[in-house]
Amino acid sequence: MLTRSLLSHWGINLMRILLTGSNGQVGTEFRKLGQGTAEIISTGSRELDLTREEEIRRFVRDAKPDVIVNAASFSDVDAAERNWDACFALNAMAPVVLAEEAHRLDALLIHYSTDQVFDGSKSEPYTEKDRTSPLNVYGASKAAGEQGIASSFAPALILRLSWIYSAQGDNILRSILRLAKHSSELQVANDQVGAPTSARSIARATERLIRMYANSRKTQFPTGIYHLTAEGATTWHGFASALLDATFRQRKPLVIPIATTEHSSFARRPRNSLLSCQKFMTTFGFQLASWQQQLEEVSAELPVETGAAGSELIHHDEA
Ligand SMILES: NC(=O)c1ccc[n+]([C@@H]2O[C@H](COP(=O)([O-])OP(=O)(O)OC[C@H]3O[C@@H](n4cnc5c(N)ncnc54)[C@H](OP(=O)(O)O)[C@@H]3O)[C@@H](O)[C@H]2O)c1
């Protein structure tokens, strides 16, 4: 039962939200946040296969949402190199169909994109005005999704994220902890720069944006592309070191810095994944906490570990 106070907390009294990717990192956090406080139609790949255009159209027309949050994606960057058709279906075709259907219903589409639309050669954080030039199939598919959404003229908010992790599921944080349990040293790339961002912080920001949308005139709500990441910068090596500092009390494994080129068999990734969030902050009036504060919050949910033996190489599969 939705109470008046909960509804006014969300400010979305009569809003129906269609969530895709509800079993993923961001989707799970968004679903948990909204439980009991909003009408969320949660879908994973079993409920709605986003590679099937007609199924998407039928589902959205039946659901009649006011907001679509598209948290589904083909996120395995290395697998995308060999599965470009499946990757483009999910990351480029599906968002455009969702945008067209959102336009038809006069609904807002909130879609997530990535720092990997850039090649990482810039020495400063990327802004929304920088030209996209992806290095890999995943980045190309996400850039195509962005362009397709823009061409649909749907009211859409595209949030470019980077280096997402959470306490649950299969992600870089979980890989580091799993390997650290059984190893005396971990080798982690120290030549890519980014801002590790918790899935929960993205879910919270999304919830806040939906509240702003609910309380604004539809036509005045800002749409377009925005960068949204944690404040600050580090490398995967810096992130792994901070994570193990927070979660290991004794026999903490050594974290050895290595160069990314040592993982030569995988998709190329940008060296610089930093996104300037200035436009988001100026437009919406808030920003995400620093990557250290976010990691502290997530680490507090993790069990304290003791150490182990051996040596492991950390490889980052996810987007
Ligand atoms: N992860 C990162 O580091 C990162 C960085 C930058 C941007 N992003 C972007 O942020 C967004 C959220 O990322 P995330 O890490 O939360 O994603 P994720 O954990 O990889 O989850 C993606 C979800 O997509 C769903 N999916 C896969 N194939 C599908 C299909 N055919 N039909 C419908 N759903 C399907 C899966 O659903 P089931 O589990 O039900 O199969 C999965 O739970 C994505 O747009 C991603 O590109 C992520």
Side-chain angles (χ1 to χ4, degrees):
M1 187 69 181
L2 302 179
T3 67
R4 189 169 287 277
S5 63
L6 286 173
L7 287 171
S8 67
H9 164 70
W10 270 62
I12 52 177
N13 301 32
L14 296 171
M15 289 247 159
R16 280 163 73 80
I17 301 169
L18 171 59
L19 171 67
T20 70
S22 69
N23 304 311
Q25 297 191 82
V26 173
T28 297
E29 294 292 343
F30 185 81
R31 179 164 43 84
K32 283 196 287 192
L33 263 186
Q35 246 162 28
T37 63
E39 187 179 356
I40 300 185
I41 303 154
S42 292
T43 63
S45 56
R46 287 221 306 220
E47 293 77 27
L48 172 58
D49 181 354
L50 289 171
T51 61
R52 294 168 182 265
E53 179 179 341
E54 283 315 309
E55 191 176 324
I56 303 172
R57 293 195 191 280
R58 214 175 21 251
F59 198 100
V60 177
R61 286 176 197 192
D62 284 350
K64 295 185 183 54
D66 302 292
V67 178
I68 300 173
V69 177
N70 182 28
S73 89
F74 190 112
S75 310
D76 187 329
V77 178
D78 294 321
E81 297 292 306
R82 299 179 303 275
N83 297 289
W84 66 267
D85 47 349
C87 179
F88 267 78
L90 201 53
N91 293 349
M93 179 278 289
V96 177
V97 177
L98 288 172
E100 287 170 358
E101 292 302 317
H103 195 205
R104 196 172 170 271
L105 292 170
D106 197 20
L108 174 71
L109 172 65
I110 300 182
H111 172 74
Y112 303 109
S113 190
T114 173
D115 61 281
Q116 294 202 42
V117 297
F118 298 118
D119 63 18
S121 60
K122 194 178 172 186
S123 51
E124 300 292 312
Y126 282 89
T127 74
E128 292 81 351
K129 288 188 177 148
D130 287 314
R131 205 172 51 83
T132 60
S133 56
L135 292 175
N136 55 42
V137 171
Y138 168 77
S141 71
K142 297 296 283 190
E146 290 181 355
Q147 285 151 17
I149 290 172
S151 312
S152 74
F153 299 108
L157 202 49
I158 299 175
L159 303 173
R160 285 193 187 132
L161 318 177
S162 80
W163 291 22
I164 302 297
Y165 65 90
S166 74
Q168 292 88 34
D170 190 14
N171 60 64
I172 180 94
L173 177 143
R174 304 283 300 173
S175 302
I176 293 169
L177 290 179
R178 193 174 54 246
L179 295 173
K181 256 187 182 176
H182 307 291
S183 316
S184 59
E185 61 180 50
L186 304 178
Q187 299 174 9
V188 189
N190 200 33
D191 56 359
Q192 294 173 41
V193 188
T197 304
S198 75
R200 185 171 303 164
S201 74
I202 298 301
R204 280 196 197 120
T206 304
E207 185 242 69
R208 192 162 166 177
L209 291 167
I210 294 174
R211 253 188 290 146
M212 291 167 98
Y213 174 69
N215 291 320
S216 71
R217 280 172 193 261
K218 276 186 182 179
T219 51
Q220 285 172 4
F221 187 74
T223 52
I225 296 183
Y226 294 86
H227 293 174
L228 182 64
T229 70
E231 283 293 293
T234 187
T235 62
W236 286 120
H237 175 269
F239 178 74
S241 304
L243 173 63
L244 298 191
D245 281 346
T247 48
F248 275 69
R249 291 289 172 268
Q250 327 150 7
R251 292 190 293 133
K252 188 177 62 174
L254 272 179
V255 187
I256 315 282
I258 58 162
T260 307
T261 46
E262 290 169 39
H263 305 291
S264 53
S265 58
F266 305 120
R268 292 173 70 206
R269 288 172 167 76
R271 290 293 163 100
N272 175 13
S273 287
L274 290 174
L275 302 177
S276 163
C277 301
Q278 189 61 47
K279 180 184 169 196
F280 182 93
M281 202 165 65
T282 309
T283 308
F284 296 105
F286 71 97
Q287 60 185 338
L288 302 189
S290 70
W291 72 266
Q292 293 97 328
Q293 286 170 309
Q294 295 194 18
L295 182 58
E296 202 178 318
E297 184 191 10
V298 172
S299 299
E301 294 171 25
L302 298 167
V304 172
E305 301 287 355
T306 52
S311 167
E312 297 283 356
L313 181 85
I314 301 280
H315 159 231
H316 183 221
D317 280 332
E318 301 294 318

